[in-house]
Every structure is written in structure tokens, then in C-alpha cells.
Amino acid sequence: MLPPSFPENETQRAADLRRLNILDTTAEERFDRIARIAQGYFKVPITLVSLVDTTRQWFKSKQGLEASETPRNISFCGHAILGDDVFLVPDALSDPRFADNPLVTGDPSIRFYAGAPLTSPGGSRVGTLCIIDKRSRTLSEADLAVLRDLADWVEDELARNEREAKESLIVQSMGRLSAIVESSDDAIMSKTLDGIITSWNPGAERLFGYTEDEAINQPMAMLIPPDRGNEESMTLARIAAGVHIDPFETVWMTKSGKLIDISATISPLKDRAGKVIGASNIARDISERKRAEQMKVEFISTVSHELRTPLTSISGALGLIIGGALGEVPLPAREMIAIAHKNSQRLAHLINDLLDIEKIAAGKLHFDMQIQAIRPLIEQALEANQAYGAQRRVTFTATGVVPDVNVQVDSQRMMQVFSNLLSNAAKYSPEGGVVEVEAELNGNRMCISVRDHGLGIPAEFRSRIFQKFAQADSSDTRQKGGTGLGLAITRELVEHMNGSIGFESVEGEGSRFFVELPVWQMPAESEGIASTVANDGPRILVVEDEPDVARLLTLMLTQAGYAVDTAATGAAALRALLHSHYAAITLDLKLPDTNGLALIRQIREQPETAELPIVVVSAAMEEGRLAIKGDFSGIEWMGKPIDQPGLLGVLDRMVSAEGSRLVRVLHVEDDSDLHQVIRAMAGDRFDFVLTTTLKEARVRLVQEQFDVVILDIVLSDGSGLSLVEAVRTHQPTARVVMLTGTDITADAARQVDAVLVKSKISPDQLLAAIHTSIQSFAAHGHHS
Ligand code: ADP
């Protein structure tokens, strides 16, 4: 006897068979009926629908046979599934493969066998439809065709099994899915591409108050509050275009008109062909979270105000005593006061760091990105930190030549970055050490590095150095001061300004921290459009068509603290004058589109610029002077080449205030200790008036004349911001300086001329903020 061999694809075949979900199921009429027809047609005692399992053949239908399965190794069908055609054994007794087969020698005494292989939808032969006789016989071609036809019919029934098995899986998983959707706390909805609601779960009913019946077939836009206008049409347009929409936070409206904070996830729904046919909307109620966030923010801003105000008084007062402003202090007392001063500053630093971290975490950090020349930034950073370095007997120096490029940054945040890096470098430098600052151009990135020759950073600490509260040696905290927050904040700041930060370090030799910022490329200046270099100082318009000269002037002026716009043509200059307010302009007489003298005339004819100080910077200065013959006032003449001290002298003179009259300052502040400290910081060039309430301040503003108004935000009878309008009305020339313990919004900041944060303020900053040098021209201009 020859047992049947296994086909090459046996594993695959077995898997295909299982997928039919048929083995060991009960007999079914749809198979039996085919077997009976075969039995009748071929007039045989036995017909089987046999499935060849791994070790047995099992009969889904058996006509004329008792057994429901027999071993595979003695089966005829095992042979039949090895080929495509009907497997024929006309006379088993004379066939050496089967002559001694127990199914031949014993029951059911097979003599004749014909099996048509059954192919599953998966493509493998899983069994046969076979006819068996107890006497030998043959089949005609026509008979073979009938057997094949019947086998095809069985195959169809098998395919149906597989389909139904699949469908029942789908039904099961749909059932699971719908149970999830039904029980979800989130509102889960779907809509057509026209925004018509097609499904609505109980979560949606709970959240928005509409029942499923009320919502289906209604526009999803009914959930969008009127003031959010086109939110729905915009998301629909993006969905239809197949664009992925990131989850976003928004406000939607319930049936009763109540607004709720929502986190919305909107995703396209596609049909089988991948075509977008609608969208699913998942909305999560985040109002609780928002409330908690709001409370946290309010708490932090209250605490910061409450802590910063007294702290400013303390450190300011101590600073003045140490500075000798109040006379000689005996040595032992001075030492103690120095300690107190240092620690009050440490405390202020800690509060500021904590608040910064909080704001970063909440994504609330405001950046005022301006185009800045890199050199003044570095110089300012070195100067601002020199004193700190000196305390630790460490010198900061700039090495190499700082490239003449601009970057787009928030200068205050940039100062914070430098302060962190420089103070770290000083902290970890040996006494008497030198810290080098270097700026170099690296392709189109500016790389600024701070190098120290200190201890270096232990290798095992390097991966954690930018983490919050990370310190290589926690005993540092007491020894050197610090919180481990500095670098975490620094990295956030740098990355917010589109830069990156990194470091290299050799233990025992020192460290080099570097910040890389993209270089700001001046957009093509084809139409002579004014370009801006920002600074806090008065704004100057440079009218100059020669790009190199324009750059030179810009550089000179920004270094001197002016904000600079440039215009390459007369037309661009006039446009700039129309849109912005300038303290003065420098003018080249030879311009591509107009004659400089004609331009002067046009400028003087406009009432807004009739008295705008003009500095003519021109190679043809003498001719110009002759041509204009003193027709106009307020014009200074400078020849080329440009003499920097001369130019700055002229501008400072033209732009600065009337003279040495005392500057009058109205200080609106309810903390009189702080007032005293501020007054002492400002020194005797100012005539200070203190009011502690808004009411009193309003009266004073109407009756008296002030050059500067310093405002606290939180006052006993309201917000200092509400006073800004009164100042603008009654004292149009006054400069408004906000002195605040809390952070104020960018909008509020724009209304005033300067914002100082309590506890961060130094006498120098204060003087710079209230400096009135722009007054003379501001008197003729308008506040925008
Ligand atoms: P800290 O307020 O403690 O200075 P930072 O985040 O600025 O916090 O720095 C974290 C830690 O990184 C420091 O405590 C110190 O261990 C290490 N570190 C930072 N800068 C330097 C440096 N220039 N040289 C050596 N170690 C440094």
C-alpha cells in the first residue's frame, strides 16, 4: 500500500481549511443534497464530501457510509487532492497503491473510486467530492464532466461558509465597536461632507443636549457658536481635501446655548475605495480642566504679584544702601546687608524661574520676535552680566569678530538666554577665570558660543543637563545658588525662537555651550520696501538707495540704541512715513526715483511730518545746502563719508528733550515702600509725584503736566491699565511705563511705552524706560 504524500503547501492548505469553519459541524442539507444527486446519477452505493484534515479525512456529507472519518494515511482522497483532475481508481484490487488497503480488503470493500478535488476560496485543495463503488467500473467523458460540475457546486457552498465566517467576525467586531461608542463619555458623531449629522452617540446626547432623533440629519454647524463663524466650513473643506486635522481645542454650544470647552478630533471617513465620504467628530468636554488651569494661572499670578512687590522693595532698598547712595555704612553691617541683598536677589530669581517654567508648561510664553543685529545683542549681554562675573572674579570677553548679520528674536528672552549661559559659565569657572563669547557664521545659521575653563560637565550627567531641576551635584544649590531650572528654560526659549542649543565639555578643562539661530535674510528689496531693525529706542527712517551704505547706517544707529527702518526709494520713504511714526529721518539726496530736495519738500508739506527732524547724509551735501537756501528748518547736513560720532551727536541732539528741566513723573502705586525705592533708584533728575489710587491719578492727570507716568497694574480701586486712555487724552506727550508684578498680555504691553517687571528691575533699566529723549518729536506726532 502507498500512503498519500503531503502536498507542498500543506501548512497553507490546513489554514485554508480552518478558515472554512466547517470541520466537525453537523450535516447540512445543502451538502447532502449534492451527494444524493451524485449517488443517484452515478448509481453508486457511497458518495462523500470529504475534507482532508492533517491526520484524518472528515466527511461533511456521507451517503451510504456509517463512519464519519477515517485516517488520512489510508485515504483515497489524500491522493485525490494532490492533483487538479478527477482522481480515478477503476479497480482497487489490481492497483498496487490500494490492493492491500484495509478499506479495500475490509469494509466497505472499495473497488472503484473517483474523486473530484475541491478548491477553497484560499486556493488550496481541501477535500473531494467522491463516488465509491464495490465493483470495478469506468467513467465516460460526459460522466467526468458531471462529477466536476457537482464538485463546483460543493465549492460554491464551501465559499459561502468562508464568507459567512468572515461576516460573523465583522458583525462581532462591529458589535464591540458600537458598544464602545455607546458607552463612551466622549461625544462621538459622524457627518457627511456637507456637514449633515449621520450618527450621534449617547455621549453626544449628554454633552450637547440633543437626542439622537433631534440631531440626525441636522447640520453639525448647529454646535458651533455664532462667533466661531467658519470653523465648521473650514474643517469640512480640509476633510474633503483629505487633509489630516490635528486635535484642537475649541468652544462648542449645547442645545440650551451654553458654551463648553471642547477638545475636538475630526477625521475623514473613507469608503472601500478610499474615497472620503464624510467625517467623524469626537468631542471631549475639557471645561473642568480649563477651569483648573485658569485657577492655577490666577493663583500663580496673584502669588507672583504679592511676592514680587515686597521683594522689589527689599532688594531695591538693600541695593541702594550697598551702592552707597545713602551714605557710609559700617563694615560689619555692610557685610550683613550684602548677604541679605544677595539672597533677596536669589529669591527673586527663583520666583522668576518658577513662573517661567509654569508659563512654558502652559504654552503661555509670549515672544515679541523682532529683527535684530546680532552684535548689539551680544554687547548688551556682556555688559548686563559683567557685574555678576565680577562678583565671582570672572571676566567675560568677546573673541573674534562678530559677523554683521541679523537674527529674528525676542531681545529680552535672548538676554535671558545669555544671562543663564554666562552665569553658569561664571559659576563653574575657577576664580579669576575667563569666559569667552564668540559668534560665528555657520552657513545660514549664527552660532554663538559661551566657553568656560571650569570643571566641565560629568559624563554621566550630560544626558540630563537640560531637564528641569537637574543639577550635577545637588550640593551646588547652596554653594553656588541655582535651581537646576536655568538650562531647561534656556532650551525652551531658544527653541521657541527657532534656534537650537547644545554643548560640548571635557571634564576638568571646561565647557562650551552654543546657541544656533537662523540668520535673518533680508527679503528681496526690489520695490525699496522699508525693512526693520528693531530696538527699544526712538525709531529712525534711513532713506538710502546704496545697500552697503544703508547697512552701515543701520548698524551705527542700532548700536546706538535706535530702532531703524530703511527705505531705498523716495516712494518707499513716503509710504513708511505714512504708516509709522519716526523720531527722525536720514536722507540721501540722490535717490533712484526722486530728487532728495523734492522729497524734503513733500515731507514738509504733510502736517504730520512738517517738523520731523531730517539729517541729510549725502555726498552732494554742499550743492543741496545751496539749493535749499535755508527754506526749511529742522534739517542738519552731514557729508559722506559718514562720521559716526558726528551723526549720532546730531541725531541725539535733534531727537532729545528740550534741556535740563526736571522731568516730571507721576507714579501710580499703592505700595508706598516701593514708591520710595523707585524714587531713590531714579535719582534726583526727576520730580516724582505719588498717587496711590486711580481716582487721585485721574485728577492729577487733568490738572498737571507730566513727562512720564509709571503705573502699577493692580491697584486698590481698579486696574492701572484703565488709566492709559486718560494719560493719552490729557498728556499726549507722556511716556507710559508699566511696572508690574504680574505678567501682562501682549495687547496690554502694546498700549504702553515700556513694561518693567518688579523684582527684575534695576536702576539702569528704570532710567532707560522713563528716559524722555524721544519727547521733542513725539510732541508733534501721534501715538499709534
Ligand atoms: P542651575 O540653576 O543649577 O545653574 P542650570 O539648569 O542652569 O541650573 O544648570 C544645571 C546644571 O548643569 C548645573 O547645576 C551644573 O551642574 C551643570 N552646568 C551648567 N552649566 C555648566 C557649566 N558651564 N559648567 C559645568 N557645569 C554646568
Side-chain angles (χ1 to χ4, degrees):
M1 191 192 78
L2 180 75
S5 55
F6 279 53
E8 265 174 29
N9 68 342
E10 176 62 16
T11 326
Q12 175 64 38
R13 204 192 63 81
D16 280 355
L17 176 59
R18 306 256 156 251
R19 253 205 309 281
L20 298 178
N21 227 1
I22 198 170
L23 290 175
D24 301 310
T25 55
T26 48
E28 285 178 75
E29 185 55 21
R30 59 194 174 102
F31 290 104
D32 288 345
R33 122 182 1 127
I34 307 172
R36 277 199 310 273
I37 292 173
Q39 198 181 21
Y41 178 81
F42 292 107
K43 300 194 174 54
V44 288
I46 300 171
T47 55
L48 302 168
V49 173
S50 159
L51 294 156
V52 181
D53 196 3
T54 36
T55 60
R56 59 172 182 164
Q57 57 173 340
W58 177 84
F59 310 128
K60 177 64 186 171
S61 179
K62 47 191 173 69
Q63 305 301 319
L65 191 73
E66 275 306 308
S68 58
E69 59 181 58
T70 57
R72 178 171 178 178
N73 57 4
I74 55 167
S75 72
F76 283 64
C77 295
H79 292 272
I81 61 165
L82 297 177
D84 269 333
D85 301 329
V86 172
F87 181 67
L88 263 179
V89 182
D91 181 6
L93 270 183
S94 60
D95 189 325
R97 293 175 295 180
F98 300 106
D100 57 350
N101 186 306
L103 299 172
V104 176
T105 53
D107 208 44
S109 314
I110 300 177
R111 288 291 176 280
F112 166 79
Y113 172 95
L118 298 171
T119 304
S120 77
S124 17
R125 292 182 288 268
V126 291
T128 65
L129 169 66
C130 61
I131 52 176
I132 290 171
D133 208 341
K134 293 177 194 282
R135 58 186 176 86
S136 80
R137 55 187 281 186
T138 55
L139 285 184
S140 68
E141 281 297 318
D143 286 346
L144 278 174
V146 171
L147 184 60
R148 190 57 252 170
D149 273 349
L150 291 171
D152 287 350
W153 184 1
V154 177
E155 279 179 2
D156 285 347
E157 294 298 335
L158 288 177
R160 191 170 127 195
N161 263 41
E162 181 159 330
R163 228 172 20 245
E164 282 172 358
K166 248 190 215 152
E167 276 163 14
S168 94
L169 272 182
I170 292 174
V171 169
Q172 272 175 27
S173 80
M174 296 240 300
R176 268 198 302 272
L177 270 181
S178 83
I180 293 172
V181 170
E182 289 296 299
S183 63
S184 169
D185 266 346
D186 291 340
I188 303 179
M189 305 153 285
S190 63
K191 61 187 175 191
T192 63
L193 279 182
D194 302 326
I196 300 299
I197 296 169
T198 47
S199 75
W200 189 260
N201 77 336
E205 182 170 335
R206 276 194 299 276
L207 194 54
F208 297 114
Y210 298 97
T211 62
E212 188 176 359
D213 282 348
E214 287 168 331
I216 299 265
N217 286 330
Q218 296 301 312
M220 191 70 90
M222 73 185 181
L223 300 180
I224 313 290
D227 63 336
R228 300 225 160 217
N230 53 0
E231 181 185 301
E232 175 71 357
S233 53
M234 269 166 53
T235 51
L236 280 173
R238 291 172 65 193
I239 287 285
V243 179
H244 171 82
I245 301 180
D246 287 326
F248 59 97
E249 291 187 2
T250 179
V251 175
W252 285 356
M253 192 172 62
T254 68
K255 186 179 173 186
S256 64
K258 189 177 147 217
L259 299 178
I260 16 184
D261 287 302
I262 291 289
S263 160
T265 307
I266 302 183
S267 338
L269 293 176
K270 297 180 178 169
D271 67 7
R272 275 168 185 245
K275 193 174 140 237
V276 179
I277 49 167
S280 71
N281 275 27
I282 302 181
R284 172 165 297 180
D285 182 358
I286 53 167
S287 39
E288 218 25 71
R289 196 183 88 201
K290 286 270 163 187
R291 244 194 307 282
E293 275 170 12
Q294 188 56 31
M295 275 170 58
K296 198 163 96 183
V297 167
E298 275 162 21
F299 175 75
I300 284 172
S301 103
T302 314
V303 168
S304 70
H305 184 254
E306 296 303 322
L307 287 177
R308 276 173 167 177
T309 306
L311 202 54
T312 310
S313 294
I314 297 170
S315 76
L318 294 173
L320 286 169
I321 299 175
I322 294 172
L326 309 171
E328 202 49 44
V329 183
L331 187 64
R334 201 160 63 219
E335 275 174 3
M336 286 302 116
I337 290 170
I339 291 174
H341 185 231
K342 195 173 79 200
N343 281 282
S344 67
Q345 282 178 330
R346 224 176 103 187
L347 198 52
H349 192 78
L350 176 60
I351 292 173
N352 293 336
D353 273 3
L354 283 172
L355 288 170
D356 276 348
I357 280 285
E358 159 57 29
K359 266 181 288 173
I360 288 168
K364 294 262 163 58
L365 216 53
H366 169 72
F367 283 82
D368 185 14
M369 299 290 277
Q370 302 269 14
I371 297 146
Q372 314 263 355
I374 192 76
R375 192 179 304 164
L377 277 178
I378 291 181
E379 281 167 1
Q380 200 188 335
L382 287 175
E383 205 180 296
N385 289 283
Q386 214 70 55
Y388 182 86
Q391 274 175 30
R392 306 206 175 235
R393 290 186 228 311
V394 171
T395 338
F396 298 131
T397 60
T399 59
V401 182
V402 180
D404 176 16
V405 297
N406 290 330
V407 286
Q408 193 169 22
V409 291
D410 177 325
S411 56
Q412 279 198 9
R413 304 283 183 208
M414 204 57 212
M415 283 306 124
Q416 207 177 337
V417 167
F418 282 131
S419 295
N420 276 331
L421 295 181
L422 289 171
S423 65
N424 276 350
K427 263 193 244 174
Y428 299 98
S429 279
E431 190 152 317
V434 176
V435 170
E436 291 126 14
V437 178
E438 192 173 18
E440 32 183 13
L441 214 48
N442 204 344
N444 55 1
R445 288 172 82 76
M446 185 70 234
C447 179
I448 307 155
S449 51
V450 174
R451 186 196 300 276
D452 67 56
H453 303 279
L455 296 172
I457 295 153
E460 70 279 4
F461 178 63
R462 289 181 193 164
S463 62
R464 287 189 296 127
I465 194 162
F466 288 109
Q467 288 173 10
K468 287 175 213 162
F469 299 106
Q471 295 183 314
D473 174 0
S474 52
S475 65
D476 276 3
T477 314
R478 244 151 289 137
Q479 256 179 34
K480 307 196 193 272
T483 55
L485 290 172
L487 285 175
I489 295 172
T490 303
R491 180 163 72 176
E492 289 286 344
L493 295 178
V494 169
E495 288 177 358
H496 263 89
M497 295 187 283
N498 309 315
S500 54
I501 185 168
F503 67 95
E504 39 190 46
S505 179
V506 179
E507 255 178 282
E509 286 181 26
S511 322
R512 172 178 165 260
F513 282 80
F514 48 88
V515 169
E516 281 200 343
L517 293 165
V519 169
W520 184 78
Q521 311 279 3
M522 205 174 293
E525 233 177 326
S526 53
E527 291 175 75
I529 286 165
S531 65
T532 312
V533 175
N535 245 335
D536 284 340
R539 181 168 293 267
I540 308 263
L541 178 65
V542 169
V543 187
E544 171 66 66
D545 66 328
E546 194 56 52
D548 284 344
V549 180
R551 244 197 308 276
L552 178 68
L553 279 168
T554 306
L555 197 71
M556 283 180 177
L557 294 173
T558 44
Q559 277 184 344
Y562 289 105
V564 179
D565 286 357
T566 59
T569 62
L574 288 174
R575 224 172 324 144
L577 285 170
L578 202 63
H579 290 130
S580 309
H581 171 73
Y582 294 97
I585 92 172
T586 79
L587 183 64
D588 183 6
L589 287 184
K590 261 179 45 216
L591 290 168
D593 60 337
T594 175
N595 173 307
L597 297 176
L599 187 61
I600 293 180
R601 230 162 254 131
Q602 278 171 287
I603 293 173
R604 284 290 179 253
E605 272 160 24
Q606 297 299 318
E608 288 82 20
T609 52
E611 291 174 59
L612 171 67
I614 301 175
V615 181
V616 175
V617 181
S618 176
M621 174 189 92
E622 286 307 327
E623 292 92 308
R625 201 173 219 166
L626 280 177
I628 212 154
K629 292 200 213 82
D631 284 354
F632 296 110
S633 63
I635 301 183
E636 289 278 348
W637 304 87
M638 300 281 313
K640 282 184 183 167
I642 299 158
D643 150 42
Q644 182 174 18
L647 173 68
L648 292 176
V650 163
L651 274 172
D652 285 346
R653 193 150 27 82
M654 294 183 85
V655 170
S656 73
E658 303 102 280
S660 54
R661 168 177 85 70
L662 275 191
V663 172
R664 293 208 76 212
V665 180
L666 177 63
H667 188 191
V668 190
E669 166 69 62
D670 55 5
D671 185 311
S672 64
D673 286 353
L674 183 60
H675 168 69
Q676 280 192 34
V677 174
I678 293 283
R679 176 181 239 165
M681 276 183 172
D684 49 14
R685 291 171 52 200
F686 300 89
D687 174 14
F688 262 90
V689 174
L690 170 70
T691 63
T692 54
T693 62
L694 289 173
K695 208 167 129 219
E696 193 188 337
R698 282 216 172 79
V699 175
R700 292 259 190 175
L701 282 171
V702 176
Q703 293 173 349
E704 299 172 38
Q705 185 81 43
F706 294 100
D707 301 296
V708 178
V709 180
I710 302 182
L711 283 177
D712 186 13
I713 293 199
V714 186
L715 290 157
S716 56
D717 57 343
S719 159
L721 272 174
S722 67
L723 211 59
V724 175
E725 212 182 294
V727 179
R728 295 303 184 215
T729 317
H730 299 292
Q731 313 276 342
T733 63
R735 190 166 163 75
V736 181
V737 177
M738 206 91 228
L739 181 57
T740 157
T742 38
D743 286 291
I744 66 172
T745 63
D747 261 357
R750 261 193 290 278
Q751 292 176 37
V752 301
D753 301 301
V755 177
L756 295 174
V757 178
K758 286 181 184 172
S759 83
K760 276 188 182 163
I761 155 180
S762 68
D764 286 350
Q765 272 183 325
L766 178 69
L767 285 179
I770 63 181
H771 207 269
T772 52
S773 63
I774 63 163
Q775 286 311 301
S776 80
F777 180 70
H780 308 292
H782 47 86
H783 283 275
S784 47

